[in-house]
Amino acid sequence: MALYYGWKSFSEEEDRPEKPRRFGVTEMRSPNYSLMSNQPLEDILESMGQFVDGLKFSGGSHSLMPESFIREITNLAHKHDVYVSTGDWSEHLLRKGPTAFKEYVEECKRLGFDTIELNAGSLKVPEETLLRFVRLIKSGGLKAKPQFAVKFDKSEIPIAGDRAFGAYVAPVPQSSEIVEDVDLLIRRAERCLEAGADMIMIDADDVCKYADMLRADIIAKIIGRLGLEKTMFEASNPKTSEWFVRRYGPSVNLFIDHSQVMNLECLRGPSLGRIRTSALKSSYFLM
């Protein structure tokens, strides 16, 4: 049966499955002005909630909010079958001692978060510590989503012969030299998935931040090794979203700004290839 929403018909045979989805996931960045009121977020979810799978707090913004307000937002998201992710914040806990991360997981669960994101580049912890964090998140009943960049501090790259999984590598001083190593990204991501991580977020920097500078070779290698279902890419603008959907189809998982939700859903639909422009006018993107 097809459902009609003005400019587009949604058919179960043509589009993604109903929520909760394992692929074709759309995770959106929360509006920055939701710090002051949840009304803009409520308007977005009321009108487009069926197209949104996840909500990510921007830049640790939940750390600035009262607990009661956080619960309002997480409850609102759950009302629309939208999971809630902490975003990039856990690295700020490292200075609080060894028990801080476990306490953070418990607090996130209490506040209604469903997913904890781990930015490996910001955390700068040994690989085994990152895997321990993944296991702590999973044992706490939440989903774990490590985030990796394609560039590493040169000191993080094991020398030849020391790349075996779990092998002890003597620590070396950090350098200021940054190098690209997609194989190391994939190996670390694979270990996180083996430890129980639910999905891997790929940092847009140096990979897919700009549509005219997309690294198709890196993206293809990551998807080829980790699988489309287990990876999520940040699409910084509508042109980047269009590239991903054209190349990998509607099943690709994307993290986007809240202003791009409807445009991305148009791209995921059966009209792709016949139209390139958004079904919405530019005034929508001024929200």
Side-chain angles (χ1 to χ4, degrees), residues 92 102 141 155:
H92 295 277
K102 185 176 181 180
S155 62

Side-chain angles (χ1 to χ4, degrees), residues 8-11 14-15 265-274:
K8 181 181 176 185
S9 67
F10 293 84
S11 168
E14 293 177 323
D15 289 328
E265 193 62 28
C266 291
L267 292 172
R268 290 193 194 273
S271 60
L272 176 62
R274 295 195 296 271

Side-chain angles (χ1 to χ4, degrees), residues 212-224:
D212 57 349
M213 298 176 64
L214 280 161
R215 292 293 303 276
D217 55 334
I218 290 177
I219 294 169
K221 194 167 188 177
I222 291 172
I223 290 177

Side-chain angles (χ1 to χ4, degrees), residues 11-230:
S11 168
E12 293 180 1
E13 289 76 26
E14 293 177 323
D15 289 328
R16 294 169 295 157
E18 295 295 321
K19 295 192 295 184
R21 288 182 272 261
R22 294 180 296 106
F23 52 85
V25 172
T26 295
E27 181 175 298
M28 78 172 192
R29 181 184 294 106
S30 64
N32 289 330
Y33 37 78
S34 63
L35 283 169
M36 298 170 282
S37 168
N38 63 11
Q39 189 60 51
L41 178 61
E42 186 172 358
D43 291 342
I44 292 170
L45 294 180
E46 286 289 345
S47 59
M48 298 178 287
Q50 61 179 318
F51 310 137
V52 179
D53 298 274
L55 172 70
K56 177 176 174 178
F57 276 66
S58 301
S61 56
H62 60 284
S63 65
L64 305 175
M65 300 177 181
E67 288 189 2
S68 58
F69 189 61
I70 295 175
R71 288 197 197 94
E72 285 183 23
I73 294 177
T74 55
N75 289 338
L76 175 62
H78 294 156
K79 176 183 173 183
H80 294 275
D81 297 320
V82 172
Y83 69 80
V84 187
S85 172
T86 59
D88 186 5
W89 180 249
S90 56
E91 65 271 16
H92 295 277
L93 304 170
L94 298 181
R95 63 180 181 271
K96 295 185 178 181
T99 63
F101 191 81
K102 185 176 181 180
E103 294 169 358
Y104 175 64
V105 173
E106 293 170 352
E107 180 183 18
C108 288
K109 186 173 183 178
R110 180 172 55 82
L111 293 175
F113 287 97
D114 307 286
T115 300
I116 293 181
E117 191 169 294
L118 298 169
N119 189 325
S122 299
L123 283 168
K124 293 189 180 300
V125 294
E127 189 171 326
E128 293 303 323
T129 303
L130 180 64
L131 298 176
R132 183 169 64 86
F133 286 168
V134 170
R135 296 187 187 103
L136 279 172
I137 294 169
K138 296 300 294 181
S139 65
L142 301 178
K143 292 184 177 181
K145 186 167 65 173
Q147 177 176 338
F148 290 97
V150 73
K151 289 191 175 179
F152 299 85
D153 187 298
K154 190 175 181 179
S155 62
E156 296 182 57
I157 300 178
I159 61 175
D162 286 338
R163 285 181 175 264
F165 291 162
Y168 173 75
V169 179
V172 295
Q174 287 196 341
S175 70
S176 58
E177 185 177 355
I178 304 298
V179 295
E180 182 180 293
D181 193 332
V182 65
D183 291 317
L184 182 59
L185 181 159
I186 291 170
R187 276 190 287 270
R188 289 187 172 178
E190 286 174 335
R191 292 203 70 196
C192 285
L193 291 172
E194 290 168 2
D198 298 271
M199 189 174 289
I200 303 296
M201 171 72 84
I202 305 301
D203 196 310
D205 289 344
D206 304 303
V207 177
C208 53
K209 191 168 186 177
Y210 304 105
D212 57 349
M213 298 176 64
L214 280 161
R215 292 293 303 276
D217 55 334
I218 290 177
I219 294 169
K221 194 167 188 177
I222 291 172
I223 290 177
R225 289 278 295 277
L226 302 180
L228 198 63
E229 184 179 318
K230 291 294 185 180

